[in-house]
Amino acid sequence: MRTTPPAVLTCATIPRAWTFALVLAGPVGAQPVSRDPTTAQSVLHPAGTDAAAIANLFWIMTGAGALIWAAVIGTAIYAVLGRHKPQSERFADRFILAGGVIFPTVTLALLLVVGLRLLPNWRATDLPDLRVHVVGEQFWWRIRYETPDGGLVETANELHLPVGAEVEFVLTATDVIHSFWIPVLGGKLDMIPGRTTVLRLRPTATGVYRGACAEYCGLSHALMAMVVVVVPPDRFAEWLEAAARPARTPPPAAYLQAGCPACHVVRAADTPPEVAGVGPDLTHLAARSSLAADTLPLDHATLSGWIANPARYKPGARMPGFAHIDPREREAVVTWLMELQ
Ligand code: CUA
């Protein structure tokens, strides 16, 4: 079964304080969504079909392992402490055959079948409902949505998905190997420079979750996370539509003088869609809920501190510090960036 590709979105997530509470706001009306830190990236609280299958497998394996462990330990205790008369050699041979050969063979074969049933069951000709290209960078995520009209909308570090849709992630990396992992939605997959890997996930519950890089990729590997916002399809369509729009206000002179456009793109009405910077797209920066790949809260003071010295917060980040520019100019840049809803 497939549904029509969702249109897009309009809502923006705006962080008010560095808590896990996120507020979805925007032209479609405010609707608070909270991120529960105990379940936002828990493989045992699945919010997607793949994660649910993996969680089921985990419980089946754990239950079967516990039963077998109890049987083995129980038998050992009985053998050592139980009061019983010596058994015949024939009984001992049969016991070893049953418990040491037949039982493990049957049990492991059954568990193998249970595990193999979880292998992906789709062909390249099965079209997904939505395709999202994600590129691993040191240390952030470049995200490009394919739109229903064949275009691409670029954003970074915050993934919005429609609930119930089969989403195909086309994964690669530019520098080193990263690994794309949203524990509540499904398993992880490596992002390899020069290669493309494909992962399909289907979110089944709305909410705000957390994704993470699961492959050591450098100094700030542990600071390479991602906000994942799963919303109803109509809200996603509105969000995507808003994300595709150019920025509302042109950059101040200080932004150009500091050389920011050498790395970052803030789309204007006449920016060709294929243009991408080496750094994260900032067109709707202020609509995101966090800064530096879910490392920092996104607010005026934090953004200013980040621009002055990114390495203080994120060792190894490619962005140079701008502590040397006039504080008033930096203030002008930050004020403008925080208006980019
Ligand atoms: Cu990217 Cu670890």
Side-chain angles (χ1 to χ4, degrees):
M1 184 201 82
R2 70 179 296 269
T3 55
T4 339
V8 184
L9 76 145
T10 292
C11 93
T13 59
I14 307 170
R16 292 281 155 85
W18 190 228
T19 65
F20 279 104
L22 304 180
V23 176
L24 287 177
V28 290
Q31 178 188 327
V33 174
S34 64
R35 183 161 81 172
D36 181 343
T38 60
T39 59
Q41 63 171 13
S42 165
V43 292
L44 297 182
H45 293 85
T49 48
D50 285 62
I54 294 169
N56 284 341
L57 179 67
F58 168 80
W59 288 117
I60 290 171
M61 291 287 185
T62 304
L67 278 177
I68 294 169
W69 181 85
V72 171
I73 296 300
T75 307
I77 291 173
Y78 175 76
V80 173
L81 302 179
R83 271 189 264 156
H84 41 70
K85 54 182 193 286
Q87 301 290 349
S88 69
E89 197 143 315
R90 198 160 161 230
F91 173 84
D93 287 347
R94 286 186 178 173
F95 186 76
I96 289 171
L97 181 68
V101 179
I102 298 173
F103 179 75
T105 305
V106 171
T107 309
L108 292 178
L110 284 176
L111 291 177
L112 180 66
V113 170
V114 172
L116 287 179
R117 282 168 52 90
L118 299 185
L119 287 176
N121 183 24
W122 54 271
R123 286 178 284 260
T125 48
D126 299 337
L127 290 178
D129 300 318
L130 171 70
R131 192 175 282 125
V132 184
H133 302 252
V134 186
V135 184
E137 310 267 0
Q138 279 177 318
F139 302 91
W140 58 280
W141 314 86
R142 184 190 302 278
I143 301 170
R144 291 195 187 106
Y145 297 84
E146 286 188 12
T147 58
D149 62 4
L152 279 179
V153 174
E154 177 160 336
T155 175
N157 297 329
E158 191 166 295
L159 190 58
H160 287 243
L161 300 174
V163 70
E166 178 160 88
V167 185
E168 180 172 282
F169 294 97
V170 182
L171 308 172
T172 189
T174 52
D175 35 43
V176 298
I177 297 176
H178 303 266
S179 181
F180 179 87
W181 192 27
I182 305 168
V184 299
L185 296 189
K188 62 188 81 158
L189 193 63
D190 276 2
M191 314 171 89
I192 304 165
R195 288 194 58 175
T196 298
T197 49
V198 177
L199 178 70
R200 288 198 184 184
L201 299 172
R202 188 188 291 272
T204 52
T206 57
V208 182
Y209 309 108
R210 188 172 188 271
C213 178
E215 176 85 30
Y216 180 74
C217 53
L219 277 182
S220 284
H221 156 69
L223 300 175
M224 184 171 171
M226 172 179 13
V227 177
V228 181
V229 184
V230 178
V231 293
D234 54 337
R235 288 195 54 129
F236 173 78
E238 290 165 4
W239 176 88
L240 189 55
E241 205 177 291
R245 289 186 201 128
R248 285 180 199 161
T249 48
Y255 179 82
L256 307 175
Q257 281 157 11
C260 309
C263 296
H264 295 285
V265 169
V266 175
R267 272 174 279 126
D270 56 355
T271 306
E274 66 275 12
V275 167
V278 298
D281 185 289
L282 302 178
T283 307
H284 299 287
L285 173 72
R288 294 177 203 151
S289 59
S290 70
L291 178 62
D294 205 22
T295 300
L296 297 166
L298 179 59
D299 57 45
H300 191 103
T302 314
L303 180 58
S304 183
W306 166 262
I307 291 172
N309 188 2
R312 178 181 166 200
Y313 305 96
K314 204 160 187 177
R318 296 276 169 83
M319 177 165 157
F322 287 84
H324 57 280
I325 64 174
D326 186 313
R328 281 166 304 183
E329 293 191 348
R330 193 164 73 232
E331 185 64 18
V333 172
V334 172
T335 301
W336 171 67
L337 288 173
M338 290 303 292
E339 289 167 357
L340 294 179
Q341 290 285 338

